Amino acid sequence: MSSTSNFWLIRHGETAWNNAMRLQGWRDIALNETGIEQARQLARYLTSAQFTERIDVVVSSDLSRARDTAVIAAGHFGHPVVEMQALRERNYGIYEGHELVMQPNGRANLRNFDRRCPRSPVEQGETLTAFAQRVHSAFESLATQYAGQNIMVFAHGGVIDIVWRRAQQLGLDAFRRDPIRNCSINRFSIHADHQWQMHDWGHLVC
């Protein structure tokens, strides 16, 4: 058996705070009706002839918006959802619940979370550097625990952003052009030598 672990990394469905452009972080915000329907559409895709991969393990952040998306979209695989706190969104501390400010180019300006200063502290939260290290460690741990298996992971936009950077060997300050959509599918692998390889990114089915 190959020791390469293959990942299907999926962002949770929409929440009311997504729709209002508010930072969620560790706040346990539930899926809204749109998010539930997105998860159902994802389930229809994953049970269709278009998706032919075997999934061995289903893993999720322990926040309900990710876990509920996993239950709805991947329940048919017949695997229990393994919850991991390490897959949570970045902890934005005192800024959770604040609205994002959109720049003219459509990118979110987090203002107090300047990527040029990834080690800057966030009061009652975590630095960007610490968040990235947490995400890296979580996926390396999964790759070791489930070596050679196909793993479907439900997590958050920030988690997917960090994986995208690691798989492309880009820094935390690198520009990312494309948004990370709710219920988008992102495929990558982690090899036995700890090399990360991107295969497909931002695949939308809903």
Side-chain angles (χ1 to χ4, degrees):
M1 178 185 290
S2 169
S3 58
T4 296
S5 298
N6 301 301
F7 290 89
W8 282 258
L9 175 56
I10 301 172
R11 187 183 179 196
H12 61 78
E14 184 184 277
T15 70
W17 280 24
N18 284 150
N19 194 44
M21 295 298 294
R22 296 173 67 185
L23 280 173
Q24 296 180 110
W26 283 25
R27 300 286 186 92
D28 199 8
I29 310 302
L31 297 175
N32 61 14
E33 288 301 318
T34 297
I36 292 170
E37 179 54 32
Q38 288 171 335
R40 289 171 177 161
Q41 289 182 47
L42 178 57
R44 288 193 283 272
Y45 169 76
L46 294 175
T47 55
S48 74
Q50 294 176 277
F51 189 82
T52 59
E53 303 290 348
R54 182 193 78 251
I55 297 299
D56 302 305
V57 184
V58 177
V59 182
S60 173
S61 156
D62 65 343
L63 294 176
S64 65
R65 57 188 183 272
R67 184 185 63 247
D68 291 349
T69 303
V71 170
I72 295 169
H76 62 279
F77 291 120
H79 305 308
V81 177
V82 178
E83 296 184 24
M84 287 183 66
Q85 182 174 331
L87 291 173
R88 286 185 178 189
E89 182 59 277
R90 182 181 174 187
N91 184 348
Y92 287 109
I94 64 172
Y95 300 107
E96 292 182 358
H98 287 212
E99 291 185 13
L100 297 171
V101 177
M102 299 305 294
Q103 300 178 89
N105 63 4
R107 298 188 72 206
N109 176 11
L110 300 182
R111 292 184 296 181
N112 297 294
F113 318 112
D114 190 349
R115 289 190 183 277
R116 291 174 297 179
C117 304
R119 292 178 176 81
S120 296
V122 176
E123 188 174 346
Q124 299 176 26
E126 64 187 327
T127 67
L128 181 58
T129 300
F131 173 50
Q133 290 171 344
R134 168 162 64 84
V135 172
H136 295 164
S137 296
F139 281 98
E140 292 279 0
S141 174
L142 287 171
T144 298
Q145 183 175 359
Y146 302 110
Q149 298 189 57
N150 293 344
I151 308 159
M152 184 165 284
V153 178
F154 292 81
H156 307 270
V159 172
I160 296 170
D161 175 76
I162 294 299
V163 170
W164 177 81
R165 294 172 190 283
R166 175 64 182 269
Q168 297 211 105
Q169 299 183 14
L170 296 172
L172 296 176
D173 59 347
F175 175 77
R176 177 173 52 78
R177 180 189 62 192
D178 298 320
I180 299 170
R181 305 291 188 186
N182 293 106
C183 284
S184 59
I185 303 174
N186 309 279
R187 282 204 312 117
F188 71 101
S189 298
I190 301 179
H191 302 284
D193 60 0
H194 302 289
Q195 292 297 309
W196 295 40
Q197 180 182 4
M198 182 185 297
H199 300 295
D200 184 32
W201 216 252
H203 180 63
L204 282 174
V205 299
C206 53

